[in-house]
């Protein structure tokens, strides 16, 4: 059977893939905490329409408007100073903290021994695990994340299906002889501010642009897989 | 079997009066001018002659105050009146003749007043509560905003740019989402047989309830504890502290952006 592996993303295999190795890796993301910046054109138009409408709005007497200030019992709020959108982690560029880049998504990257890394040296990779006869690939991915984080209380796996895959062909200096498929599963951070990341030498939380520094060869694949 | 139709009863005399096209009734002959108070909206206080007021003069003063407030609200003015072209020309001609209508007089008085509320705002205004609006929070680059006047042509130009920007973003997002779906389909097809059926099972377990929604400002550590202890301390009183006074201006919520953002954040 001819293997037509013209591009790493095409899979036109004719034989059964039972002898292949499958790796489940997890794209662990933290959703944005603050709304993103507004385009000046959008804001200008909305300001214009607000002022235009206000020209024709009726002006009511002040004592009438003050009647809405009466508050019922049990409706407590304290005056507060809004927290700044650019945190100290932003200024110090501390990539290990989750408080950085609050208006973008952050993804977890580990530095350690990955499956299929060239020469067995530590590289930057997503949390992953080789598939070994579990029920589904999603369970494999969950156990991968569990081994890194300790427990899955702060995570939510989105759906049973993988979100993308890549076929990794072996080169000469790699530790693995056959090519294997890496499936990505999406999971999101739920209601947790910090994690204890174990089982690796180093970890970072990066935005999409910074991730391109860590994976220069796969930039177009990552551009397709991650929107922002 | 043929059935004879009942002859339609001729309405007595109604077909001779001009009929309204929609409701089928005779149109009211007394036309109401624009801006004139509708008769229904006047508050008619029936003063029964036999009843005597308990409070005496104070009672009627309060009542007068209330009546005055109602009047002010019902006849609340606008800084700019909405007039058609024909009405504007007519007003200009009348002014040449020296006749000034009541509304026009009111407009002139308002322009002479010092209060800023009654004028058309010249500078860009703050939308929403003063501390928590987009400009002071740094969400908008004030320098990059285009300059514009409050005219129709400028409005049209701004609207075209706005539409262009949003459509570009929308199309980009649609393309990115279809790419995601395509990648997902390919990934599922690349799975071996048994795992593929497991992946195709839709995951109907409910979404986590505490998934954090992006807000205007980041959450303050320990705020909820402050609120709780303050509430416990002063559980007898009506209210702890008044919030800074907010005028009920129409709050500025860009629903278009918000919907797109919602879709974006929760998408699989």
């Amino acid at each position: 059977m001819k293997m037509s592996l013209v591009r790493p993303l095409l899979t036109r295999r004719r034989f059964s893939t039972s002898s292949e190795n499958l790796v489940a890796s997890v794209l662990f993301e933290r959703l944005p905490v603050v709304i993103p910046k507004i385009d000046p054109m959008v804001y200008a138009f909305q300001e214009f329409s607000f002022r235009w409408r206000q020209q024709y709005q009726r002006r009511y007497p002040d004592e009438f408007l003050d009647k809405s200030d009466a508050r019922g019992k049990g409706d407590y709020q304290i005056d507060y100073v809004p927290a700044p959108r650019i945190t100290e982690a932003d200024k110090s560029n501390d990539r290990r903290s989750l408080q950085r880049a609050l208006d973008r998504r952050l993804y977890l990257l580990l530095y350690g021994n990955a499956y299929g890394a060239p020469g067995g040296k530590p590289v930057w990779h997503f949390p992953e695990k080789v598939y070994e006869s579990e029920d589904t690939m999603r369970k494999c991915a969950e156990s991968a994340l569990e081994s890194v984080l300790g427990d899955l209380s702060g995570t939510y796996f989105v759906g049973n299906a993988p979100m993308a895959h890549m076929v990794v062909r072996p080169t000469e200096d790699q530790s693995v002889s056959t090519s294997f498929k890496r499936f990505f599963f999406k999971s999101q951070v739920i209601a947790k501010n910090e994690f204890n990341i174990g089982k690796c030498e180093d970890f970072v939380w990066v935005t999409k642009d910074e991730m391109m520094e860590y994976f220069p060869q796969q930039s177009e694949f990552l551009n397709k897989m991650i929107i922002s | 079997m043929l059935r004879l139709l009942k002859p339609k009863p001729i309405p007595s005399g109604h077909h001779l009066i001009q009929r309204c096209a929609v409701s089928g009734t005779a149109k009211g002959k007394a036309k109401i001018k624009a801006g004139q108070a509708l008769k229904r909206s006047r508050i008619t206080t029936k003063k029964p002659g036999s009843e005597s007021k308990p409070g005496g003069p104070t009672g009627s003063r309060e009542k007068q105050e209330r009546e005055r407030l109602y009047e002010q609200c019902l006849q609340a003015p606008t800084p700019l009146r909405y007039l058609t072209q024909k009405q504007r020309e007519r007003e200009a001609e009348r002014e040449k003749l020296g006749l000034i209508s009541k509304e026009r007089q009111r407009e002139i008085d308002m322009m002479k007043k010092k209060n800023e509320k009654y004028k058309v705002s010249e500078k860009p205004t703050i939308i929403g509560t003063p501390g928590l609006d987009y400009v002071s929070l740094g969400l908008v680059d004030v320098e990059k905003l285009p300059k514009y006047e409050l005219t129709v042509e400028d409005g049209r130009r701004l609207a075209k740019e706005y539409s262009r920007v949003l459509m570009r973003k929308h199309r980009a997002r649609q393309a990115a989402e279809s790419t995601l779906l395509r990648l997902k389909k390919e990934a599922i097809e690349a799975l071996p047989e048994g795992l593929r059926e497991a992946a195709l099972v839709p995951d109907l377990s409910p979404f986590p309830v505490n998934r954090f929604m992006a807000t205007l400002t980041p959450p303050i550590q320990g705020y909820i504890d402050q609120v709780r202890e303050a509430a416990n301390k002063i559980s007898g009183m009506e209210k702890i502290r008044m919030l800074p006074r907010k005028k009920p201006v129409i709050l500025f919520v860009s629903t278009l952006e918000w919907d797109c953002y919602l879709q974006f954040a929760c998408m699989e």
Side-chain angles (χ1 to χ4, degrees):
Chain A
M1 286 287 175
K2 229 171 136 183
M3 293 204 299
S4 51
L5 283 176
V6 180
R7 292 191 323 244
L9 288 181
L10 275 186
T11 53
R12 296 222 190 96
R13 296 183 174 252
R14 302 275 185 256
F15 56 92
S16 80
T17 50
S18 53
S19 56
E20 268 229 332
N21 276 335
L22 307 173
V23 174
S25 54
V26 175
L27 186 75
F28 195 41
E29 64 185 6
R30 183 219 67 187
L31 294 171
V33 175
V34 177
I35 59 177
K37 271 193 137 174
I38 312 272
D39 196 294
M41 211 55 239
V42 170
Y43 184 76
F45 174 73
Q46 283 177 324
E47 196 189 32
F48 170 84
S49 79
F50 175 75
R51 279 170 64 195
W52 185 263
R53 263 183 282 135
Q54 238 201 348
Q55 276 180 340
Y56 296 109
Q57 273 178 1
R58 301 179 112 180
R59 307 294 201 243
Y60 289 102
D62 278 340
E63 57 250 7
F64 181 67
L65 297 177
D66 282 349
K67 293 203 190 283
S68 65
D69 276 346
R71 291 197 181 266
K73 190 174 176 184
D75 196 6
Y76 299 130
Q77 282 184 56
I78 304 187
D79 299 331
Y80 62 93
V81 176
R85 295 174 83 241
I86 304 184
T87 56
E88 301 102 31
D90 269 325
K91 293 179 200 153
S92 62
N93 201 12
D94 173 19
R95 291 199 173 180
R96 284 182 169 213
S97 115
L98 264 179
Q99 309 308 320
R100 201 165 72 92
L102 292 176
D103 59 343
R104 315 232 16 223
R105 295 195 185 196
L106 287 183
Y107 303 96
L108 178 66
L109 282 184
L110 306 177
Y111 189 68
N113 295 313
Y115 184 79
K121 287 190 296 233
V123 273
W124 287 104
H125 64 104
F126 294 102
E128 63 188 13
K129 184 167 178 292
V130 182
Y131 172 71
E132 283 153 16
S133 67
E134 280 121 353
D135 286 334
T136 63
M137 284 295 270
R138 176 176 154 158
K139 292 218 173 105
C140 181
E142 280 171 4
S143 62
L145 204 54
E146 210 174 329
S147 64
V148 174
L149 293 183
D151 69 337
L152 289 180
S153 62
T155 66
Y156 170 63
F157 271 83
V158 185
N160 281 327
M163 63 183 256
H165 77 290
M166 50 192 277
V167 179
V168 180
R169 275 182 295 169
T171 51
E172 300 84 41
D173 55 339
Q174 272 189 2
S175 45
V176 194
S177 46
T178 54
S179 62
F180 59 93
K181 288 195 213 169
R182 185 178 275 152
F183 291 94
F184 289 92
F185 284 83
K186 186 182 230 180
S187 95
Q188 298 175 338
V189 175
I190 305 290
K192 250 194 168 188
N193 272 335
E194 37 198 314
F195 287 93
N196 298 322
I197 312 282
K199 204 193 164 245
C200 62
E201 295 168 16
D202 198 10
F203 66 94
V204 270
W205 291 95
V206 282
T207 60
K208 183 188 181 191
D209 311 313
E210 291 156 10
M211 207 192 289
M212 300 305 155
E213 303 163 17
Y214 291 90
F215 294 105
Q217 311 100 7
Q218 292 129 12
S219 60
E220 45 165 289
F221 174 71
L222 289 176
N223 267 324
K224 276 192 249 178
M225 190 168 82
I226 306 176
I227 295 186
S228 85
Chain B
M1 202 163 106
L2 282 175
R3 253 207 226 150
L4 282 172
L5 291 171
K6 280 201 198 134
K8 269 195 199 153
I10 301 171
S12 52
H14 282 271
H15 57 283
L16 298 170
I17 304 181
Q18 185 182 27
R19 280 180 169 271
C20 172
V22 173
S23 66
T25 53
K27 225 172 170 177
K29 285 296 171 188
K31 290 217 164 118
I32 302 181
K33 293 197 200 122
Q36 195 189 56
L38 294 172
K39 288 187 189 149
R40 288 177 245 119
S41 62
R42 285 233 180 268
I43 296 175
T44 48
T45 45
K46 297 196 177 85
K47 289 195 177 103
S50 50
E51 246 188 58
S52 60
K53 301 235 178 314
T58 44
S60 63
R61 204 183 304 147
E62 277 175 14
K63 231 183 164 170
Q64 270 170 22
E65 287 294 316
R66 260 190 295 142
E67 294 290 321
R68 199 174 61 85
L69 190 65
Y70 295 159
E71 274 303 313
Q72 271 185 316
C73 289
L74 288 169
Q75 308 297 329
T78 67
L80 216 62
R81 286 180 299 152
Y82 183 70
L83 299 164
T84 52
Q85 194 55 29
K86 211 166 157 186
Q87 284 173 331
R88 248 184 273 261
E89 284 163 11
R90 193 155 173 271
E91 285 252 347
E93 277 175 35
R94 281 170 64 112
E95 257 181 85
K96 271 192 248 169
L97 289 176
L99 303 165
I100 303 184
S101 69
K102 266 196 282 186
E103 283 117 13
R104 177 75 191 138
Q105 188 58 48
R106 199 178 186 193
E107 225 182 7
I108 298 172
D109 290 336
M110 275 206 329
M111 284 203 284
K112 289 197 191 127
K113 263 203 254 191
K114 300 290 184 187
N115 195 351
E116 268 205 13
K117 195 168 84 153
Y118 293 103
K119 304 216 177 121
V120 179
S121 57
E122 299 294 330
K123 301 173 295 179
T125 44
I126 294 183
I127 309 177
T129 47
L132 300 173
D133 64 300
Y134 285 179
V135 175
S136 46
L137 283 179
L139 270 164
V140 187
D141 299 322
V142 188
E143 301 86 29
K144 291 193 199 151
L145 280 184
K147 304 268 175 268
Y148 60 87
E149 316 286 325
L150 268 182
T151 53
V152 179
E153 300 85 24
D154 256 359
R156 289 206 175 117
R157 174 178 65 91
L158 282 181
K160 277 201 196 294
E161 291 289 327
Y162 168 80
S163 164
R164 253 178 232 142
V165 164
L166 284 190
M167 194 43 131
R168 221 172 273 159
K169 276 202 211 162
H170 173 73
R171 290 212 170 109
R173 188 172 30 240
Q174 294 285 78
E177 284 181 8
S178 2
T179 314
L180 273 191
L181 285 177
R182 186 173 51 91
L183 284 183
K184 183 160 124 170
K185 221 168 36 159
E186 283 172 7
I188 294 180
E189 276 163 38
L191 280 177
E193 291 300 328
L195 296 174
R196 195 181 305 169
E197 280 103 34
L200 282 173
V201 171
D203 184 14
L204 296 170
S205 54
F207 286 86
V209 227
N210 52 350
R211 193 149 57 159
F212 191 71
M213 184 72 223
T215 49
L216 198 58
T217 56
I220 304 175
Q221 301 284 344
Y223 178 74
I224 191 84
D225 301 318
Q226 277 182 22
V227 174
R228 263 192 224 130
E229 71 175 61
N232 286 334
K233 266 199 286 183
I234 321 175
S235 47
M237 265 168 53
E238 279 264 341
K239 41 196 174 185
I240 305 178
R241 251 183 284 183
M242 287 270 285
L243 279 182
R245 170 168 148 210
K246 295 187 276 202
K247 292 232 169 87
V249 170
I250 297 172
L251 268 188
F252 176 53
V253 174
S254 56
T255 46
L256 191 59
E257 291 265 25
W258 196 245
D259 286 325
C260 301
Y261 182 74
L262 200 63
Q263 208 181 45
F264 172 62
C266 304
M267 211 197 85
E268 280 192 46

